Amino acid sequence: MLSRQLIIYFLLCIIAIFMVREFSFNPESFSSSRNSVILIFPYVLLTFSLFGYELFLKLKDASFKVCTWRKMIICSFIVMLAASVLEFVYFSELIHKFGRHPTRVESRIFSYTWLNQYTNTIFINFYTFLMYASTVTFCTSLITLVKK
């Protein structure tokens, strides 16, 4: 089921996540520069999309038993929920480091929008990648199970 192309897209997604993390600023630091990660976002969207499409094609063509499809649905749903909870915890911790939400005057990032050089990692990180991959797996498995 695993193909070389799927592995390459996975590695490109990991590189994209790493690039976003490296080019984003920590809440403890100060940066007056603009958000350079915006230039990386098209690459991130492309790699995530290619990985999702390849995963969809591989799962669609897979021939598993009905009980295996059910197990994949349950496991992908559990992974999706766990990644969502971890993303929420990460988001809460990051916002706490800034003092408050960016909409509050007391926040250190009050003058920025939600997508800025400090909050890029909220949107692109390993948790969002897990949510994306498990959602693709969940939906594809569900569609395949319903068709059988």
Side-chain angles (χ1 to χ4, degrees):
M1 183 171 131
L2 284 177
S3 69
R4 183 180 307 161
Q5 202 168 13
L6 186 64
I7 294 170
I8 289 171
Y9 290 148
F10 173 75
L11 292 175
L12 288 174
C13 288
I14 298 301
I15 290 170
I17 292 168
F18 178 73
M19 286 172 58
V20 168
R21 196 181 105 232
E22 286 301 310
F23 291 120
S24 296
F25 290 93
N26 291 332
E28 293 84 22
S29 66
F30 176 75
S31 168
S32 61
S33 66
R34 299 287 177 207
N35 190 3
S36 59
V37 177
I38 291 291
L39 301 173
I40 301 172
F41 273 5
Y43 168 73
V44 172
L45 293 174
L46 179 68
T47 57
F48 274 43
S49 299
L50 289 173
F51 175 79
Y53 183 68
E54 188 69 24
L55 182 63
F56 169 76
L57 290 178
K58 294 299 173 193
L59 285 173
K60 187 181 70 140
D61 294 339
S63 57
F64 296 129
K65 295 179 182 177
V66 174
C67 71
T68 305
W69 285 115
R70 287 183 185 144
K71 289 176 186 176
M72 283 183 65
I73 290 170
I74 292 169
C75 289
S76 62
F77 186 73
I78 290 170
V79 169
M80 190 182 348
L81 283 178
S84 299
V85 168
L86 290 171
E87 174 69 20
F88 179 76
V89 169
Y90 176 72
F91 171 78
S92 299
E93 287 177 1
L94 192 62
I95 292 301
H96 180 70
K97 288 179 183 178
F98 291 127
R100 293 185 184 243
H101 284 273
T103 57
R104 306 286 299 265
V105 179
E106 299 87 21
S107 176
R108 291 190 310 186
I109 58 170
F110 174 70
S111 60
Y112 298 110
T113 60
W114 271 101
L115 186 60
N116 60 59
Q117 63 264 32
Y118 300 104
T119 60
N120 292 321
T121 55
I122 290 175
F123 305 106
I124 306 295
N125 57 44
F126 193 68
Y127 303 133
T128 55
F129 178 73
L130 277 178
M131 286 189 287
Y132 176 66
S134 61
T135 302
V136 169
T137 304
F138 177 79
C139 293
T140 307
S141 301
L142 193 64
I143 290 169
T144 307
L145 182 66
V146 168
K147 285 184 178 180
K148 286 191 172 193

CSV table of all heavy atoms in Angstrom, one decimal, residues 52-109:
chain,number,residue,atom,x,y,z
A,52,GLY,N,-2.4,14.4,0.7
A,52,GLY,CA,-3.7,14.0,0.9
A,52,GLY,C,-4.3,13.3,-0.3
A,52,GLY,O,-5.0,12.3,-0.1
A,53,TYR,N,-4.0,13.8,-1.5
A,53,TYR,CA,-4.5,13.2,-2.7
A,53,TYR,C,-3.9,11.8,-2.9
A,53,TYR,O,-4.6,10.8,-3.2
A,53,TYR,CB,-4.2,14.1,-3.9
A,53,TYR,CG,-4.8,13.5,-5.2
A,53,TYR,CD1,-6.1,13.5,-5.4
A,53,TYR,CD2,-3.9,13.1,-6.2
A,53,TYR,CE1,-6.6,13.0,-6.6
A,53,TYR,CE2,-4.4,12.6,-7.3
A,53,TYR,CZ,-5.8,12.5,-7.5
A,53,TYR,OH,-6.3,12.0,-8.7
A,54,GLU,N,-2.6,11.7,-2.7
A,54,GLU,CA,-1.9,10.4,-2.8
A,54,GLU,C,-2.5,9.4,-1.8
A,54,GLU,O,-2.7,8.2,-2.1
A,54,GLU,CB,-0.4,10.5,-2.7
A,54,GLU,CG,0.4,9.3,-3.0
A,54,GLU,CD,0.3,8.9,-4.5
A,54,GLU,OE1,0.1,9.8,-5.3
A,54,GLU,OE2,0.5,7.7,-4.7
A,55,LEU,N,-2.7,9.8,-0.5
A,55,LEU,CA,-3.2,8.9,0.5
A,55,LEU,C,-4.6,8.5,0.1
A,55,LEU,O,-5.0,7.3,0.3
A,55,LEU,CB,-3.2,9.7,1.9
A,55,LEU,CG,-3.7,8.9,3.1
A,55,LEU,CD1,-2.8,7.7,3.3
A,55,LEU,CD2,-3.8,9.8,4.3
A,56,PHE,N,-5.4,9.4,-0.4
A,56,PHE,CA,-6.8,9.1,-0.8
A,56,PHE,C,-6.7,8.0,-1.9
A,56,PHE,O,-7.5,7.0,-1.9
A,56,PHE,CB,-7.5,10.3,-1.4
A,56,PHE,CG,-8.8,10.1,-2.1
A,56,PHE,CD1,-9.9,9.7,-1.4
A,56,PHE,CD2,-8.8,10.2,-3.5
A,56,PHE,CE1,-11.1,9.5,-2.1
A,56,PHE,CE2,-10.0,9.9,-4.1
A,56,PHE,CZ,-11.1,9.6,-3.4
A,57,LEU,N,-5.8,8.2,-2.9
A,57,LEU,CA,-5.8,7.2,-4.0
A,57,LEU,C,-5.3,5.8,-3.5
A,57,LEU,O,-5.9,4.8,-3.9
A,57,LEU,CB,-4.8,7.7,-5.1
A,57,LEU,CG,-5.2,8.9,-5.9
A,57,LEU,CD1,-4.2,9.3,-6.9
A,57,LEU,CD2,-6.5,8.6,-6.6
A,58,LYS,N,-4.3,5.8,-2.6
A,58,LYS,CA,-3.9,4.5,-2.1
A,58,LYS,C,-4.9,3.8,-1.2
A,58,LYS,O,-5.1,2.6,-1.3
A,58,LYS,CB,-2.6,4.7,-1.2
A,58,LYS,CG,-1.4,5.2,-2.0
A,58,LYS,CD,-1.1,4.2,-3.1
A,58,LYS,CE,0.0,4.7,-4.0
A,58,LYS,NZ,0.2,3.9,-5.2
A,59,LEU,N,-5.7,4.6,-0.4
A,59,LEU,CA,-6.7,4.0,0.4
A,59,LEU,C,-7.9,3.5,-0.5
A,59,LEU,O,-8.5,2.5,-0.2
A,59,LEU,CB,-7.2,5.0,1.5
A,59,LEU,CG,-6.2,5.2,2.6
A,59,LEU,CD1,-6.8,6.3,3.5
A,59,LEU,CD2,-6.1,3.9,3.4
A,60,LYS,N,-8.2,4.3,-1.5
A,60,LYS,CA,-9.3,4.0,-2.4
A,60,LYS,C,-9.1,2.7,-3.1
A,60,LYS,O,-10.0,1.9,-3.3
A,60,LYS,CB,-9.6,5.1,-3.4
A,60,LYS,CG,-10.8,5.0,-4.2
A,60,LYS,CD,-10.9,6.1,-5.2
A,60,LYS,CE,-9.9,6.0,-6.2
A,60,LYS,NZ,-10.1,6.2,-7.5
A,61,ASP,N,-7.8,2.5,-3.5
A,61,ASP,CA,-7.5,1.3,-4.3
A,61,ASP,C,-7.2,0.1,-3.4
A,61,ASP,O,-7.0,-1.0,-3.9
A,61,ASP,CB,-6.3,1.6,-5.2
A,61,ASP,CG,-6.6,2.6,-6.3
A,61,ASP,OD1,-7.8,2.7,-6.6
A,61,ASP,OD2,-5.7,3.2,-6.8
A,62,ALA,N,-7.1,0.3,-2.1
A,62,ALA,CA,-6.8,-0.8,-1.2
A,62,ALA,C,-7.9,-1.8,-1.1
A,62,ALA,O,-9.1,-1.4,-1.2
A,62,ALA,CB,-6.4,-0.3,0.2
A,63,SER,N,-7.6,-3.0,-0.9
A,63,SER,CA,-8.7,-4.1,-0.8
A,63,SER,C,-8.5,-4.7,0.6
A,63,SER,O,-7.7,-5.7,0.7
A,63,SER,CB,-8.5,-5.1,-1.9
A,63,SER,OG,-7.3,-5.7,-1.9
A,64,PHE,N,-9.3,-4.2,1.5
A,64,PHE,CA,-9.3,-4.8,2.9
A,64,PHE,C,-10.6,-5.4,3.1
A,64,PHE,O,-11.6,-5.2,2.4
A,64,PHE,CB,-9.1,-3.7,3.9
A,64,PHE,CG,-7.7,-3.0,3.9
A,64,PHE,CD1,-7.6,-1.6,3.8
A,64,PHE,CD2,-6.5,-3.7,3.9
A,64,PHE,CE1,-6.4,-1.0,3.8
A,64,PHE,CE2,-5.3,-3.1,3.8
A,64,PHE,CZ,-5.2,-1.8,3.8
A,65,LYS,N,-10.7,-6.2,4.2
A,65,LYS,CA,-11.9,-6.8,4.6
A,65,LYS,C,-12.8,-5.7,5.3
A,65,LYS,O,-12.2,-4.7,5.7
A,65,LYS,CB,-11.7,-7.9,5.6
A,65,LYS,CG,-11.0,-9.1,5.0
A,65,LYS,CD,-10.7,-10.2,6.0
A,65,LYS,CE,-10.0,-11.3,5.4
A,65,LYS,NZ,-9.7,-12.4,6.4
A,66,VAL,N,-14.0,-6.0,5.4
A,66,VAL,CA,-15.0,-5.0,6.0
A,66,VAL,C,-14.5,-4.7,7.5
A,66,VAL,O,-14.6,-3.5,7.9
A,66,VAL,CB,-16.4,-5.5,6.0
A,66,VAL,CG1,-17.4,-4.6,6.7
A,66,VAL,CG2,-16.9,-5.7,4.5
A,67,CYS,N,-14.1,-5.7,8.2
A,67,CYS,CA,-13.7,-5.4,9.6
A,67,CYS,C,-12.5,-4.5,9.7
A,67,CYS,O,-12.3,-3.7,10.6
A,67,CYS,CB,-13.6,-6.7,10.4
A,67,CYS,SG,-12.1,-7.7,10.0
A,68,THR,N,-11.6,-4.7,8.7
A,68,THR,CA,-10.4,-3.8,8.7
A,68,THR,C,-10.8,-2.4,8.4
A,68,THR,O,-10.2,-1.5,8.9
A,68,THR,CB,-9.4,-4.4,7.6
A,68,THR,OG1,-9.1,-5.7,7.9
A,68,THR,CG2,-8.1,-3.6,7.6
A,69,TRP,N,-11.7,-2.2,7.5
A,69,TRP,CA,-12.2,-0.8,7.2
A,69,TRP,C,-12.8,-0.2,8.4
A,69,TRP,O,-12.6,1.0,8.7
A,69,TRP,CB,-13.2,-0.8,6.0
A,69,TRP,CG,-12.5,-1.0,4.7
A,69,TRP,CD1,-12.7,-2.0,3.8
A,69,TRP,CD2,-11.6,-0.1,4.0
A,69,TRP,NE1,-12.0,-1.9,2.7
A,69,TRP,CE2,-11.3,-0.7,2.8
A,69,TRP,CE3,-11.0,1.1,4.3
A,69,TRP,CZ2,-10.4,-0.1,1.9
A,69,TRP,CZ3,-10.1,1.7,3.4
A,69,TRP,CH2,-9.9,1.1,2.2
A,70,ARG,N,-13.6,-1.0,9.1
A,70,ARG,CA,-14.2,-0.5,10.4
A,70,ARG,C,-13.1,-0.1,11.4
A,70,ARG,O,-13.2,1.0,12.0
A,70,ARG,CB,-15.1,-1.5,11.0
A,70,ARG,CG,-16.4,-1.7,10.2
A,70,ARG,CD,-17.3,-2.7,10.9
A,70,ARG,NE,-18.5,-2.9,10.1
A,70,ARG,CZ,-19.1,-4.0,10.0
A,70,ARG,NH1,-18.7,-5.1,10.7
A,70,ARG,NH2,-20.1,-4.2,9.2
A,71,LYS,N,-12.1,-0.9,11.5
A,71,LYS,CA,-11.0,-0.6,12.5
A,71,LYS,C,-10.3,0.7,12.0
A,71,LYS,O,-9.9,1.5,12.9
A,71,LYS,CB,-10.0,-1.7,12.6
A,71,LYS,CG,-10.6,-2.9,13.3
A,71,LYS,CD,-9.6,-4.1,13.3
A,71,LYS,CE,-10.2,-5.3,13.9
A,71,LYS,NZ,-9.3,-6.5,13.8
A,72,MET,N,-10.1,0.9,10.7
A,72,MET,CA,-9.4,2.1,10.2
A,72,MET,C,-10.3,3.3,10.5
A,72,MET,O,-9.7,4.4,10.8
A,72,MET,CB,-9.1,2.0,8.7
A,72,MET,CG,-8.0,1.1,8.4
A,72,MET,SD,-7.6,1.0,6.7
A,72,MET,CE,-7.1,2.7,6.3
A,73,ILE,N,-11.6,3.2,10.4
A,73,ILE,CA,-12.5,4.3,10.7
A,73,ILE,C,-12.4,4.7,12.1
A,73,ILE,O,-12.2,5.9,12.5
A,73,ILE,CB,-13.9,4.0,10.3
A,73,ILE,CG1,-14.0,3.9,8.7
A,73,ILE,CG2,-14.9,5.0,10.9
A,73,ILE,CD1,-15.4,3.3,8.3
A,74,ILE,N,-12.4,3.7,13.0
A,74,ILE,CA,-12.3,4.0,14.5
A,74,ILE,C,-11.0,4.5,14.8
A,74,ILE,O,-10.9,5.5,15.6
A,74,ILE,CB,-12.6,2.7,15.2
A,74,ILE,CG1,-14.1,2.3,15.1
A,74,ILE,CG2,-12.3,2.8,16.7
A,74,ILE,CD1,-14.4,0.9,15.6
A,75,CYS,N,-9.9,3.9,14.3
A,75,CYS,CA,-8.6,4.4,14.7
A,75,CYS,C,-8.3,5.8,14.1
A,75,CYS,O,-7.7,6.7,14.9
A,75,CYS,CB,-7.5,3.5,14.2
A,75,CYS,SG,-7.5,1.9,15.1
A,76,SER,N,-8.7,6.1,12.9
A,76,SER,CA,-8.5,7.4,12.4
A,76,SER,C,-9.3,8.5,13.1
A,76,SER,O,-8.9,9.6,13.3
A,76,SER,CB,-8.8,7.5,10.9
A,76,SER,OG,-10.1,7.1,10.6
A,77,PHE,N,-10.5,8.1,13.6
A,77,PHE,CA,-11.3,9.0,14.3
A,77,PHE,C,-10.7,9.3,15.7
A,77,PHE,O,-10.7,10.5,16.1
A,77,PHE,CB,-12.8,8.4,14.5
A,77,PHE,CG,-13.7,9.4,15.2
A,77,PHE,CD1,-14.2,10.5,14.5
A,77,PHE,CD2,-14.1,9.2,16.5
A,77,PHE,CE1,-15.0,11.4,15.1
A,77,PHE,CE2,-14.9,10.1,17.2
A,77,PHE,CZ,-15.4,11.2,16.5
A,78,ILE,N,-10.1,8.3,16.3
A,78,ILE,CA,-9.4,8.5,17.6
A,78,ILE,C,-8.2,9.4,17.4
A,78,ILE,O,-8.0,10.3,18.2
A,78,ILE,CB,-9.1,7.1,18.2
A,78,ILE,CG1,-10.3,6.4,18.7
A,78,ILE,CG2,-8.1,7.3,19.4
A,78,ILE,CD1,-10.1,5.0,19.1
A,79,VAL,N,-7.5,9.2,16.4
A,79,VAL,CA,-6.3,10.0,16.1
A,79,VAL,C,-6.7,11.4,15.8
A,79,VAL,O,-6.1,12.4,16.3
A,79,VAL,CB,-5.5,9.4,14.9
A,79,VAL,CG1,-4.4,10.4,14.4
A,79,VAL,CG2,-4.8,8.1,15.3
A,80,MET,N,-7.8,11.6,15.1
A,80,MET,CA,-8.3,12.9,14.8
A,80,MET,C,-8.7,13.7,16.1
A,80,MET,O,-8.4,14.8,16.2
A,80,MET,CB,-9.5,12.8,13.8
A,80,MET,CG,-10.0,14.1,13.3
A,80,MET,SD,-11.5,14.0,12.2
A,80,MET,CE,-11.8,12.3,11.9
A,81,LEU,N,-9.4,13.0,17.0
A,81,LEU,CA,-9.8,13.6,18.2
A,81,LEU,C,-8.6,13.9,19.1
A,81,LEU,O,-8.5,15.0,19.7
A,81,LEU,CB,-10.7,12.7,19.0
A,81,LEU,CG,-12.2,12.6,18.5
A,81,LEU,CD1,-13.0,11.6,19.4
A,81,LEU,CD2,-12.8,14.0,18.6
A,82,ALA,N,-7.6,13.0,19.2
A,82,ALA,CA,-6.4,13.2,20.0
A,82,ALA,C,-5.6,14.4,19.4
A,82,ALA,O,-5.2,15.3,20.2
A,82,ALA,CB,-5.6,12.0,20.0
A,83,ALA,N,-5.5,14.5,18.1
A,83,ALA,CA,-4.7,15.6,17.5
A,83,ALA,C,-5.5,16.9,17.7
A,83,ALA,O,-4.8,17.9,17.9
A,83,ALA,CB,-4.5,15.3,16.0
A,84,SER,N,-6.8,16.9,17.7
A,84,SER,CA,-7.6,18.1,17.9
A,84,SER,C,-7.4,18.6,19.4
A,84,SER,O,-7.2,19.8,19.6
A,84,SER,CB,-9.1,17.8,17.7
A,84,SER,OG,-9.3,17.5,16.3
A,85,VAL,N,-7.4,17.7,20.3
A,85,VAL,CA,-7.2,18.1,21.7
A,85,VAL,C,-5.8,18.6,21.9
A,85,VAL,O,-5.6,19.7,22.5
A,85,VAL,CB,-7.4,16.9,22.6
A,85,VAL,CG1,-7.0,17.2,24.1
A,85,VAL,CG2,-8.9,16.5,22.6
A,86,LEU,N,-4.8,18.0,21.3
A,86,LEU,CA,-3.4,18.4,21.4
A,86,LEU,C,-3.2,19.8,20.8
A,86,LEU,O,-2.5,20.6,21.3
A,86,LEU,CB,-2.4,17.4,20.8
A,86,LEU,CG,-2.3,16.1,21.7
A,86,LEU,CD1,-1.5,15.1,20.9
A,86,LEU,CD2,-1.7,16.4,23.0
A,87,GLU,N,-3.9,20.0,19.6
A,87,GLU,CA,-3.8,21.3,19.0
A,87,GLU,C,-4.5,22.4,19.8
A,87,GLU,O,-3.9,23.5,19.9
A,87,GLU,CB,-4.5,21.2,17.6
A,87,GLU,CG,-4.7,22.6,16.9
A,87,GLU,CD,-3.3,23.1,16.4
A,87,GLU,OE1,-2.4,22.3,16.3
A,87,GLU,OE2,-3.3,24.3,16.2
A,88,PHE,N,-5.6,22.1,20.5
A,88,PHE,CA,-6.2,23.1,21.4
A,88,PHE,C,-5.3,23.4,22.5
A,88,PHE,O,-5.2,24.6,22.9
A,88,PHE,CB,-7.6,22.5,21.9
A,88,PHE,CG,-8.2,23.5,22.8
A,88,PHE,CD1,-8.9,24.6,22.3
A,88,PHE,CD2,-8.2,23.2,24.1
A,88,PHE,CE1,-9.5,25.5,23.2
A,88,PHE,CE2,-8.9,24.1,25.0
A,88,PHE,CZ,-9.5,25.2,24.5
A,89,VAL,N,-4.7,22.4,23.1
A,89,VAL,CA,-3.7,22.6,24.2
A,89,VAL,C,-2.6,23.5,23.8
A,89,VAL,O,-2.2,24.5,24.4
A,89,VAL,CB,-3.3,21.3,24.8
A,89,VAL,CG1,-2.1,21.5,25.8
A,89,VAL,CG2,-4.4,20.6,25.5
A,90,TYR,N,-2.0,23.2,22.6
A,90,TYR,CA,-0.9,24.0,22.1
A,90,TYR,C,-1.3,25.4,21.8
A,90,TYR,O,-0.6,26.3,22.1
A,90,TYR,CB,-0.4,23.3,20.8
A,90,TYR,CG,0.7,24.1,20.1
A,90,TYR,CD1,1.9,24.2,20.6
A,90,TYR,CD2,0.4,24.8,18.9
A,90,TYR,CE1,2.9,24.9,20.0
A,90,TYR,CE2,1.4,25.5,18.3
A,90,TYR,CZ,2.6,25.6,18.8
A,90,TYR,OH,3.6,26.3,18.2
A,91,PHE,N,-2.5,25.6,21.2
A,91,PHE,CA,-3.0,26.9,21.0
A,91,PHE,C,-3.2,27.7,22.3
A,91,PHE,O,-2.8,28.9,22.4
A,91,PHE,CB,-4.4,26.8,20.2
A,91,PHE,CG,-5.1,28.1,20.1
A,91,PHE,CD1,-4.7,29.0,19.1
A,91,PHE,CD2,-6.2,28.4,20.9
A,91,PHE,CE1,-5.4,30.2,19.0
A,91,PHE,CE2,-6.9,29.6,20.8
A,91,PHE,CZ,-6.5,30.5,19.8
A,92,SER,N,-3.8,27.1,23.3
A,92,SER,CA,-4.0,27.7,24.6
A,92,SER,C,-2.7,28.1,25.2
A,92,SER,O,-2.6,29.2,25.8
A,92,SER,CB,-4.8,26.8,25.5
A,92,SER,OG,-6.0,26.5,25.0
A,93,GLU,N,-1.7,27.3,25.2
A,93,GLU,CA,-0.4,27.6,25.7
A,93,GLU,C,0.3,28.7,25.0
A,93,GLU,O,0.9,29.6,25.6
A,93,GLU,CB,0.5,26.3,25.7
A,93,GLU,CG,0.2,25.3,26.7
A,93,GLU,CD,1.1,24.1,26.6
A,93,GLU,OE1,2.0,24.0,25.7
A,93,GLU,OE2,0.8,23.1,27.4
A,94,LEU,N,0.2,28.7,23.7
A,94,LEU,CA,0.8,29.8,22.9
A,94,LEU,C,0.2,31.2,23.2
A,94,LEU,O,0.8,32.2,23.4
A,94,LEU,CB,0.8,29.5,21.4
A,94,LEU,CG,1.7,30.3,20.5
A,94,LEU,CD1,3.1,30.2,20.9
A,94,LEU,CD2,1.5,30.0,19.1
A,95,ILE,N,-1.2,31.2,23.2
A,95,ILE,CA,-1.9,32.4,23.5
A,95,ILE,C,-1.6,32.9,24.9
A,95,ILE,O,-1.4,34.1,25.2
A,95,ILE,CB,-3.4,32.2,23.3
A,95,ILE,CG1,-3.7,32.0,21.8
A,95,ILE,CG2,-4.2,33.4,23.8
A,95,ILE,CD1,-3.3,33.1,20.9
A,96,HIS,N,-1.4,31.9,25.9
A,96,HIS,CA,-1.1,32.3,27.2
A,96,HIS,C,0.3,33.0,27.3
A,96,HIS,O,0.5,33.9,28.1
A,96,HIS,CB,-1.1,31.1,28.1
A,96,HIS,CG,-0.8,31.3,29.6
A,96,HIS,ND1,-1.6,32.1,30.4
A,96,HIS,CD2,0.3,31.0,30.3
A,96,HIS,CE1,-1.0,32.2,31.6
A,96,HIS,NE2,0.1,31.5,31.5
A,97,LYS,N,1.2,32.5,26.5
A,97,LYS,CA,2.6,33.1,26.4
A,97,LYS,C,2.5,34.5,25.9
A,97,LYS,O,3.4,35.3,26.3
A,97,LYS,CB,3.5,32.3,25.6
A,97,LYS,CG,3.9,31.0,26.2
A,97,LYS,CD,4.8,30.2,25.2
A,97,LYS,CE,5.2,28.9,25.8
A,97,LYS,NZ,6.0,28.1,24.9
A,98,PHE,N,1.5,34.9,25.1
A,98,PHE,CA,1.4,36.2,24.6
A,98,PHE,C,0.7,37.2,25.6
A,98,PHE,O,0.6,38.3,25.4
A,98,PHE,CB,0.6,36.3,23.3
A,98,PHE,CG,1.4,35.7,22.2
A,98,PHE,CD1,0.8,34.7,21.4
A,98,PHE,CD2,2.7,36.1,21.8
A,98,PHE,CE1,1.5,34.1,20.3
A,98,PHE,CE2,3.4,35.5,20.8
A,98,PHE,CZ,2.8,34.5,20.0
A,99,GLY,N,0.2,36.6,26.6
A,99,GLY,CA,-0.6,37.4,27.6
A,99,GLY,C,-2.1,37.2,27.5
A,99,GLY,O,-2.7,36.9,28.4
A,100,ARG,N,-2.6,37.4,26.3
A,100,ARG,CA,-4.0,37.2,26.0
A,100,ARG,C,-4.2,37.0,24.5
A,100,ARG,O,-3.3,37.1,23.7
A,100,ARG,CB,-4.8,38.4,26.5
A,100,ARG,CG,-4.8,38.5,28.0
A,100,ARG,CD,-5.7,39.7,28.4
A,100,ARG,NE,-5.6,39.8,29.8
A,100,ARG,CZ,-6.6,39.6,30.7
A,100,ARG,NH1,-7.8,39.3,30.2
A,100,ARG,NH2,-6.5,39.8,31.9
A,101,HIS,N,-5.5,36.9,24.1
A,101,HIS,CA,-5.8,36.9,22.7
A,101,HIS,C,-5.3,38.1,22.0
A,101,HIS,O,-5.3,39.2,22.6
A,101,HIS,CB,-7.3,36.7,22.5
A,101,HIS,CG,-7.8,35.3,22.8
A,101,HIS,ND1,-7.8,34.3,21.8
A,101,HIS,CD2,-8.2,34.7,23.9
A,101,HIS,CE1,-8.2,33.2,22.4
A,101,HIS,NE2,-8.5,33.4,23.6
A,102,PRO,N,-5.0,38.1,20.7
A,102,PRO,CA,-4.6,39.3,19.9
A,102,PRO,C,-5.7,40.3,19.9
A,102,PRO,O,-5.4,41.5,19.6
A,102,PRO,CB,-4.3,38.7,18.5
A,102,PRO,CG,-4.0,37.3,18.7
A,102,PRO,CD,-4.9,36.9,19.9
A,103,THR,N,-6.9,40.0,20.2
A,103,THR,CA,-8.0,41.0,20.1
A,103,THR,C,-8.0,41.9,21.4
A,103,THR,O,-8.7,42.9,21.4
A,103,THR,CB,-9.3,40.3,19.9
A,103,THR,OG1,-9.5,39.4,21.0
A,103,THR,CG2,-9.4,39.6,18.6
A,104,ARG,N,-7.3,41.5,22.4
A,104,ARG,CA,-7.2,42.2,23.7
A,104,ARG,C,-6.1,43.2,23.7
A,104,ARG,O,-5.0,42.8,23.2
A,104,ARG,CB,-7.1,41.2,24.9
A,104,ARG,CG,-8.2,40.1,25.0
A,104,ARG,CD,-9.5,40.6,25.4
A,104,ARG,NE,-9.5,41.2,26.7
A,104,ARG,CZ,-9.8,40.6,27.8
A,104,ARG,NH1,-10.2,39.3,27.8
A,104,ARG,NH2,-9.8,41.2,29.0
A,105,VAL,N,-6.3,44.3,24.2
A,105,VAL,CA,-5.2,45.4,24.3
A,105,VAL,C,-4.0,44.9,25.1
A,105,VAL,O,-2.9,45.3,24.8
A,105,VAL,CB,-5.8,46.7,24.8
A,105,VAL,CG1,-4.8,47.8,24.9
A,105,VAL,CG2,-7.0,47.1,23.9
A,106,GLU,N,-4.3,44.1,26.1
A,106,GLU,CA,-3.2,43.7,27.0
A,106,GLU,C,-2.2,42.7,26.4
A,106,GLU,O,-1.2,42.4,26.9
A,106,GLU,CB,-3.8,43.0,28.3
A,106,GLU,CG,-4.7,43.9,29.1
A,106,GLU,CD,-6.1,43.9,28.6
A,106,GLU,OE1,-6.5,42.9,28.0
A,106,GLU,OE2,-6.8,44.9,28.9
A,107,SER,N,-2.6,42.1,25.2
A,107,SER,CA,-1.8,41.1,24.6
A,107,SER,C,-0.6,41.8,23.9
A,107,SER,O,-0.6,42.9,23.5
A,107,SER,CB,-2.6,40.4,23.5
A,107,SER,OG,-1.8,39.5,22.8
A,108,ARG,N,0.6,41.0,23.9
A,108,ARG,CA,1.8,41.6,23.3
A,108,ARG,C,1.7,41.6,21.8
A,108,ARG,O,2.5,42.3,21.1
A,108,ARG,CB,3.0,40.7,23.7
A,108,ARG,CG,3.3,40.9,25.1
A,108,ARG,CD,4.6,40.2,25.5
A,108,ARG,NE,4.7,38.9,25.0
A,108,ARG,CZ,5.6,38.0,25.2
A,108,ARG,NH1,6.7,38.4,25.9
A,108,ARG,NH2,5.6,36.8,24.8
A,109,ILE,N,0.7,40.9,21.2
A,109,ILE,CA,0.6,40.9,19.7
A,109,ILE,C,-0.7,41.5,19.3
A,109,ILE,O,-1.3,41.2,18.3
A,109,ILE,CB,0.7,39.4,19.2
A,109,ILE,CG1,-0.4,38.5,19.8
A,109,ILE,CG2,2.1,38.9,19.3
A,109,ILE,CD1,-0.5,37.2,19.1
